[in-house]
Amino acid sequence: MREFAGEKYKETPFEKCEQEITDWVYRRMLGLIKKDLALFAVKDFTNWVSERQLHEKGEVSGAIEDLRTRGHIYEKDNALWFRSTDFGDDKDRVVIKSNGEYTYFASDIAYHKDKLDRGFDIIIDIWGADHHGYVPRIESVMKAFGYDSSKFRVLLVQMVNLLKHGEPFQMSKRAGNFVTLSEVVDLVGADNTKFMFLTRKSDSHLDFDIDVVTATSAENPVYYVQYAYARINSILKNAAEQSIDIGPVQDILFSLLVNKEELSLIKKLLSYPMVLESAARAYEPHRITFYLQELAKFFHSYYHKYKVITDDVDTAKARLALCLATRTVLKDALTILGVTSPEKM
C-alpha cells in the first residue's frame, strides 16, 4: 500500500489536499478490511464497489433519471423525492437534497439497479438488525424498475455478546464497547470463530463464550467435529499399517453393519444431501453446523462402543468403509463452511 506523506500537508488548506487524503484513507481502510477477511479465510469477493465509483460512472444520476422517466420522481421543498409509497414503503424518500447533494439512498438505488442490470438471479444483502426498516425501501426500488422484488433478499445479523466464564468479556486493549473481528480471531483462531458464528441463525443473538470456544472437549462444537475427522484418520492409518485394504466398494459386505449405532450413522450420512440443499435454499448455514455436531456425536458414540478393526476381516472392512464415508462428509461440510479439517489433533 502506498504510504501517505502527511507531513507536507501540515500547512496546506484542507480543500487543496482533501482528495488525496480521502484517497489514502479509502485505500487504507479497504486494505484493513481485506486483511481481516483473509485472516477469517474469506477470499471470494470478485468485485469491490465504492460509492464514489458509482457517482463517477454516472450510475447514480442515471438511475435517478431512469426513475424520473418512469414517473416515480417528483420535486418538493426544492428536493427530489422517490415516490416509494406507490410500492409499499411507509413514506416517500429524498434522493437529492435541497442543497443539490445526493442522499445515501440514491447510491443504494444505483448499486442495486446495477446488479440487476448485470443479470444476477438474486441479490442477497447482509445488514445489521437495526436496518430492518430499510428493507421495504429497497424493495420499492426493485418494483419501480420493473424487477421482481423476490429477487432481493436481506439477511439481518444480530450482535454477538463476548463472554468469559459466562460473564461479559472486554478485550483489555480496547476501551470501547465493541471488539473487532480480527481481535477475536487473534484470540481463539479463525476456525473457532467462524464455526461458532455459524451455530446460530443470522438474526439470533449469539453468546460467544471464550472458555467454550477454546476448550479441547465436547463442549467446544468445532473441536468436537474436527476431532471426529482426526480420529477417523487415525483409524484408517492403523488399518493401513496392519495391511487391511478396504478394496472395491462392491465387495464390501455392508450387511454386516447391523448394530443400532451403525444404522443411525448410516441414516445420518444419507441425510447430508438434503441438509445441504435445505441450508442453501433457506440461506441458513447453521443447519450444516448442527448437522456436523450430530454426525460427530453419532460417530464418537459408535467409536466408544465398537472396535472398528476387528479380527473378522469382513466386518473390519465394512466398518472402515463406514468410517471413510463419515470422513468424506465431515470434510465436505467443513470445507463448505470454510473451516479446516485437521489430519490429526
Side-chain angles (χ1 to χ4, degrees):
M1 181 184 301
R2 184 166 63 89
E3 289 301 320
F4 177 63
E7 289 292 327
K8 68 179 181 179
Y9 292 112
K10 278 187 174 181
E11 306 300 328
T12 305
F14 179 68
E15 59 271 12
K16 292 187 177 180
C17 57
E18 176 182 3
Q19 192 59 60
E20 185 166 353
I21 292 174
T22 301
D23 291 344
W24 181 85
V25 171
Y26 167 75
R27 291 194 302 271
R28 178 77 172 172
M29 293 305 299
L30 184 57
L32 291 173
I33 292 170
K34 289 182 177 181
K35 181 181 177 182
D36 285 353
L37 289 175
L39 186 66
F40 199 49
V42 175
K43 306 173 184 177
D44 297 328
F45 285 100
T46 305
N47 297 308
W48 294 81
V49 180
S50 70
E51 183 180 11
R52 187 175 71 182
Q53 178 182 333
L54 294 172
H55 283 284
E56 290 176 345
K57 293 170 64 177
E59 295 191 27
V60 179
S61 59
I64 301 305
E65 190 56 37
D66 191 343
L67 288 174
R68 188 201 298 270
T69 301
R70 295 170 183 265
H72 305 315
I73 296 291
Y74 67 92
E75 186 174 347
K76 185 180 76 171
D77 300 329
N78 296 320
L80 286 186
W81 297 69
F82 168 51
R83 217 182 293 273
S84 55
T85 51
D86 287 352
F87 305 97
D89 198 5
D90 59 341
K91 62 180 180 180
D92 292 344
R93 308 292 175 174
V94 176
V95 291
I96 300 181
K97 295 183 283 188
S98 58
N99 62 4
E101 293 182 357
Y102 288 97
T103 61
Y104 288 122
F105 179 50
S107 301
D108 289 336
I109 291 173
Y111 178 69
H112 289 86
K113 181 179 185 298
D114 174 68
K115 286 191 174 185
L116 291 167
D117 288 346
R118 283 187 282 148
F120 288 103
D121 295 325
I122 192 167
I123 296 174
I124 303 174
D125 282 9
I126 301 176
W127 299 349
D130 56 330
H131 287 80
H132 66 91
Y134 207 78
V135 176
R137 206 176 305 186
I138 300 300
E139 287 179 338
S140 68
V141 170
M142 314 289 258
K143 296 173 184 176
F145 283 122
Y147 290 108
D148 182 356
S149 61
S150 66
K151 288 188 171 186
F152 175 63
R153 292 291 301 271
V154 175
L155 303 183
L156 297 175
V157 180
Q158 288 285 358
M159 298 293 288
V160 176
N161 299 316
L162 195 61
L163 307 175
K164 189 172 179 62
H165 306 308
E167 299 294 331
F169 177 64
Q170 182 63 55
M171 302 286 283
S172 58
K173 65 180 179 178
R174 180 172 291 275
N177 295 319
F178 70 92
V179 176
T180 64
L181 174 64
S182 61
E183 288 175 309
V184 178
V185 172
D186 285 343
L187 186 65
V188 303
D191 281 349
N192 284 330
T193 306
K194 186 179 293 184
F195 196 95
M196 289 301 294
F197 282 175
L198 295 175
T199 57
R200 296 286 187 278
K201 289 185 65 174
S202 62
D203 59 356
S204 299
H205 286 282
L206 170 64
D207 288 334
F208 191 103
D209 197 309
I210 299 297
D211 292 332
V212 172
V213 176
T214 55
T216 54
S217 67
E219 186 183 13
N220 179 354
V222 66
Y223 176 85
Y224 194 57
V225 172
Q226 289 178 322
Y227 188 56
Y229 182 83
R231 173 169 272 170
I232 294 173
N233 283 331
S234 178
I235 294 170
L236 296 174
K237 181 181 179 182
N238 289 338
E241 290 173 349
Q242 296 180 44
S243 301
I244 301 176
D245 182 13
I246 297 177
V249 66
Q250 61 267 25
D251 295 337
I252 298 174
L253 300 178
F254 289 109
S255 59
L256 297 173
L257 302 176
V258 295
N259 297 313
K260 180 181 72 174
E261 291 78 8
E262 289 168 335
L263 296 176
S264 295
L265 190 53
I266 291 170
K267 291 177 181 178
K268 179 58 67 173
L269 290 171
L270 289 172
S271 70
Y272 176 59
M274 292 178 285
V275 171
L276 194 60
E277 182 177 1
S278 68
R281 290 186 180 278
Y283 312 115
E284 294 180 347
H286 73 278
R287 298 189 186 192
I288 302 176
T289 60
F290 286 166
Y291 172 84
L292 281 171
Q293 291 175 77
E294 291 176 349
L295 179 60
K297 179 181 178 180
F298 283 1
F299 175 77
H300 287 306
S301 297
Y302 174 60
Y303 174 83
H304 287 302
K305 191 166 185 178
Y306 299 99
K307 285 185 64 176
V308 174
I309 301 175
T310 67
D311 294 333
D312 185 277
V313 176
D314 287 333
T315 298
K317 287 183 177 181
R319 290 179 175 177
L320 284 168
L322 179 58
C323 288
L324 185 59
T326 304
R327 186 183 72 163
T328 298
V329 171
L330 285 169
K331 185 174 183 62
D332 187 75
L334 285 170
T335 300
I336 287 173
L337 296 176
V339 177
T340 63
S341 306
E343 293 301 311
K344 58 182 180 179
M345 295 176 68

